[in-house]
Amino acid sequence: MSIVWIYAIANILIDLIGVMGIIMGFKPAFLGITLLAWGNSVGDIMANMAFAKKGLAKMALIASFAAPLFDFLIGLGLSLVVKKIGGQPPDQFEIRDEEARLPLMAIGALILQFIIILILSCISRFTLRKCQGYIQIGYFLCAIG
């Protein structure tokens, strides 16, 4: 039941941050990549922490990668299907809006981050160390900056 409350409060905070961002003049793409994405992940991190505390650490680790990847693939796939149904083939998909380039750069940064995680995991024989966390945090700060 506590996860439901956290989820509800996180959604209210996401709406408040969105309104405050519009009032302060932030671009919606910037808000979506930073503040709203973090707020949207609060429910997932609480559920993953609950799994880890119950001894299901592998399940929590897999869920932390699988849930955002699933959201990304379904979101992109559905948008391209809708575009195809609308009569415009996906291969003619053009980005004309300057604000739309920011999410595309974030997608590229995310793919690169997955590659870095894969390489670090292979090097360390799939055991997580603190230095890997610091590397990922540093990469995230560089990608946002």
Side-chain angles (χ1 to χ4, degrees):
M1 188 65 177
S2 63
I3 292 175
V4 173
W5 278 105
I6 291 170
Y7 177 76
I9 292 171
N11 281 333
I12 292 170
L13 288 174
I14 289 169
D15 293 339
L16 287 173
I17 290 171
V19 169
M20 290 183 66
I22 291 171
I23 291 171
M24 289 196 248
F26 290 119
K27 293 182 179 180
F30 175 77
L31 286 173
I33 290 173
T34 56
L35 300 175
L36 298 178
W38 295 335
N40 198 23
S41 298
V42 169
D44 289 338
I45 196 167
M46 290 299 172
N48 293 343
M49 286 173 54
F51 283 133
K53 287 180 181 178
K54 288 189 176 191
L56 301 169
K58 288 182 182 178
M59 184 182 201
L61 183 65
I62 291 169
S64 66
F65 286 104
L69 186 62
F70 177 79
D71 293 343
F72 169 69
L73 292 175
I74 292 298
L76 184 62
L78 285 177
S79 64
L80 291 176
V81 166
V82 167
K83 198 157 199 64
K84 176 71 174 172
I85 290 172
Q88 184 178 4
D91 60 341
Q92 294 179 0
F93 183 73
E94 293 181 24
I95 299 171
R96 297 184 186 134
D97 188 10
E98 205 49 46
E99 286 184 10
R101 295 187 193 280
L102 185 60
L104 286 178
M105 289 172 34
I107 290 169
L110 181 65
I111 290 170
L112 182 61
Q113 188 168 18
F114 280 136
I115 292 169
I116 291 171
I117 290 171
L118 182 63
I119 291 170
L120 289 176
S121 298
C122 289
I123 290 171
S124 67
R125 296 185 183 165
F126 297 96
T127 56
L128 299 175
R129 295 191 172 91
K130 277 188 181 181
C131 68
Q132 291 172 321
Y134 293 133
I135 290 170
Q136 291 302 317
I137 291 171
Y139 175 79
F140 176 74
L141 293 174
C142 289
I144 289 294

